[in-house]
Amino acid sequence: MNRMIRLRSSAMLLAGFVCLAGSAAAVAQDGPGKGYAQIPGGAYSVVAEVRAKPGKEAELRAATLPLIDLVRGDPKNLVYFLQENREAPGHFIFYEIFANEADFEAHNAMPYVKEWFTKLPELADGGVKVMRMEILAPVGN
């Protein structure tokens, strides 16, 4: 009987913690910096750069813009930003976060990514430069 009471108490305590954690997550999503809590320390991030060949800026932009919705629609993608240098049109920076390297490699194997890469020899000057990074989190997170 004592064991049953302890099990029930433990279950109720655990349920309380789950509710508190859920409430804290909901609050974090509504406040400044919302969304950061969803990115785990150690996540796999990529910063990539591609530059258009002279005169191919608009074509590379047109080929690249559809990636935004496609990549953000991938459930394994946590963050995806495509940026263009305001002072050098045709110079693009990609910022992507995945939970791990396997998720990133699966992303690179997607047909739309492979198709985009096939367009680069005609449009890009020197291909894509990639930095593979690790997301760091403050101690204790």
Side-chain angles (χ1 to χ4, degrees):
M1 186 68 140
N2 256 352
R3 184 171 183 233
M4 191 67 130
I5 291 171
R6 278 185 279 156
L7 285 174
R8 283 186 187 159
S9 296
S10 295
M12 289 172 54
L13 186 59
L14 179 60
F17 282 130
V18 169
C19 287
L20 284 174
S23 296
V27 170
Q29 293 304 312
D30 295 335
K34 65 181 179 177
Y36 289 116
Q38 294 180 6
I39 308 299
Y44 196 83
S45 89
V46 172
V47 178
E49 173 182 40
V50 65
R51 293 175 190 264
K53 288 182 176 178
K56 298 288 185 174
E57 297 86 356
E59 287 178 67
L60 182 57
R61 185 181 307 105
T64 305
L65 282 173
L67 293 177
I68 297 170
D69 287 336
L70 292 167
V71 177
R72 287 180 179 175
D74 180 344
K76 293 185 178 192
N77 174 257
L78 303 176
V79 173
Y80 181 84
F81 288 103
L82 172 64
Q83 303 161 90
E84 185 172 11
N85 188 333
R86 293 176 190 266
E87 296 174 3
H91 177 200
F92 299 95
I93 301 291
F94 302 79
Y95 182 69
E96 309 174 42
I97 301 177
F98 294 85
N100 53 55
E101 184 177 6
D103 287 352
F104 174 68
E105 296 304 335
H107 155 73
N108 276 342
M110 297 296 284
Y112 61 85
V113 175
K114 288 181 173 185
E115 180 185 340
W116 181 78
F117 273 104
T118 66
K119 298 173 183 177
L120 293 185
E122 178 188 336
L123 303 176
D125 188 12
V128 180
K129 296 177 187 168
V130 177
M131 289 190 298
R132 296 166 182 255
M133 313 290 280
E134 177 181 351
I135 297 294
L136 303 177
V139 175
N141 288 347

Coordinates of all heavy atoms in Angstrom, one line a residue, residues 44-48 71 77 79-81 94-98 104 107-108:
Y44 N 23.7 21.0 -35.4 CA 24.5 21.1 -36.5 C 24.1 22.3 -37.4 O 23.0 22.4 -37.9 CB 24.4 19.8 -37.4 CG 25.5 19.6 -38.4 CD1 26.7 19.0 -38.0 CD2 25.3 19.9 -39.7 CE1 27.7 18.8 -38.9 CE2 26.3 19.7 -40.6 CZ 27.5 19.1 -40.2 OH 28.5 18.9 -41.1
S45 N 25.0 23.3 -37.5 CA 24.7 24.5 -38.3 C 25.6 24.6 -39.4 O 26.8 24.1 -39.4 CB 24.6 25.7 -37.4 OG 25.9 26.4 -37.4
V46 N 25.1 25.2 -40.5 CA 25.9 25.4 -41.7 C 25.8 26.9 -42.1 O 24.7 27.5 -42.1 CB 25.4 24.5 -42.8 CG1 26.1 24.9 -44.1 CG2 25.6 23.1 -42.5
V47 N 26.9 27.5 -42.4 CA 27.0 28.8 -43.0 C 27.6 28.6 -44.4 O 28.7 28.1 -44.5 CB 27.8 29.8 -42.2 CG1 27.9 31.2 -42.9 CG2 27.2 29.9 -40.8
A48 N 26.9 28.9 -45.4 CA 27.4 28.6 -46.8 C 27.3 29.9 -47.6 O 26.5 30.8 -47.3 CB 26.5 27.5 -47.5
V71 N 13.1 24.3 -48.0 CA 13.9 23.9 -46.9 C 13.1 24.1 -45.6 O 13.1 23.2 -44.7 CB 15.3 24.6 -46.9 CG1 16.1 24.2 -45.6 CG2 16.1 24.3 -48.1
N77 N 14.6 20.5 -40.6 CA 15.2 21.7 -40.6 C 14.7 22.6 -39.5 O 13.5 22.7 -39.3 CB 15.0 22.5 -42.0 CG 15.6 23.9 -41.9 OD1 14.8 24.9 -41.8 ND2 16.9 24.0 -42.0
V79 N 16.2 25.8 -38.6 CA 16.3 27.2 -39.0 C 16.9 27.3 -40.4 O 17.8 26.5 -40.8 CB 17.3 28.0 -38.1 CG1 17.5 29.4 -38.6 CG2 16.7 28.0 -36.7
Y80 N 16.4 28.2 -41.2 CA 16.9 28.4 -42.6 C 16.7 29.9 -42.9 O 15.6 30.4 -42.9 CB 16.2 27.6 -43.6 CG 16.8 27.7 -45.0 CD1 17.9 27.0 -45.4 CD2 16.2 28.6 -45.9 CE1 18.4 27.1 -46.7 CE2 16.7 28.7 -47.2 CZ 17.8 28.0 -47.6 OH 18.3 28.1 -48.8
F81 N 17.8 30.6 -43.2 CA 17.8 31.9 -43.7 C 18.7 32.0 -45.0 O 19.8 31.5 -45.0 CB 18.3 32.9 -42.7 CG 17.4 33.2 -41.6 CD1 17.7 32.6 -40.3 CD2 16.3 33.9 -41.7 CE1 16.8 32.8 -39.3 CE2 15.4 34.1 -40.6 CZ 15.7 33.6 -39.4
F94 N 23.8 31.5 -46.8 CA 22.8 30.6 -46.3 C 23.2 30.3 -44.8 O 24.3 30.1 -44.5 CB 22.8 29.3 -47.0 CG 22.6 29.3 -48.5 CD1 23.7 29.7 -49.3 CD2 21.4 29.0 -49.0 CE1 23.5 29.8 -50.7 CE2 21.2 29.1 -50.4 CZ 22.3 29.5 -51.2
Y95 N 22.2 30.4 -43.9 CA 22.3 30.0 -42.5 C 21.3 28.9 -42.2 O 20.1 29.2 -42.4 CB 22.2 31.2 -41.6 CG 22.4 30.9 -40.2 CD1 23.7 30.5 -39.7 CD2 21.3 30.8 -39.3 CE1 23.9 30.2 -38.4 CE2 21.5 30.5 -38.0 CZ 22.8 30.2 -37.5 OH 23.0 29.8 -36.2
E96 N 21.8 27.7 -41.9 CA 20.9 26.6 -41.7 C 21.2 25.9 -40.4 O 22.4 25.8 -40.0 CB 21.1 25.6 -42.8 CG 21.0 26.2 -44.2 CD 21.3 25.3 -45.4 OE1 20.8 24.1 -45.3 OE2 22.0 25.7 -46.3
I97 N 20.2 25.4 -39.7 CA 20.5 24.6 -38.5 C 19.6 23.3 -38.6 O 18.4 23.4 -38.9 CB 20.1 25.3 -37.2 CG1 20.9 26.6 -37.1 CG2 20.3 24.4 -36.0 CD1 20.6 27.4 -35.8
F98 N 20.3 22.2 -38.3 CA 19.7 20.9 -38.2 C 20.1 20.3 -36.9 O 21.1 20.7 -36.3 CB 20.1 20.0 -39.4 CG 19.7 20.5 -40.7 CD1 20.4 21.4 -41.4 CD2 18.5 20.0 -41.3 CE1 20.0 21.9 -42.6 CE2 18.1 20.5 -42.5 CZ 18.8 21.4 -43.2
F104 N 21.3 17.0 -41.8 CA 21.8 17.9 -42.8 C 22.1 17.1 -44.1 O 21.8 17.6 -45.2 CB 23.1 18.7 -42.3 CG 23.7 19.5 -43.4 CD1 23.1 20.6 -43.9 CD2 24.9 19.1 -43.9 CE1 23.7 21.4 -44.9 CE2 25.5 19.9 -44.9 CZ 24.9 21.0 -45.4
H107 N 19.1 16.3 -45.9 CA 18.6 17.6 -46.6 C 19.4 17.7 -48.0 O 18.8 18.0 -49.0 CB 18.9 18.8 -45.7 CG 19.1 20.1 -46.4 ND1 18.0 20.7 -47.0 CD2 20.2 20.8 -46.7 CE1 18.5 21.9 -47.6 NE2 19.8 21.9 -47.4
N108 N 20.7 17.5 -48.0 CA 21.5 17.6 -49.2 C 21.1 16.6 -50.2 O 21.4 16.8 -51.4 CB 23.0 17.6 -48.9 CG 23.5 18.9 -48.5 OD1 22.9 19.9 -48.7 ND2 24.7 18.9 -47.8

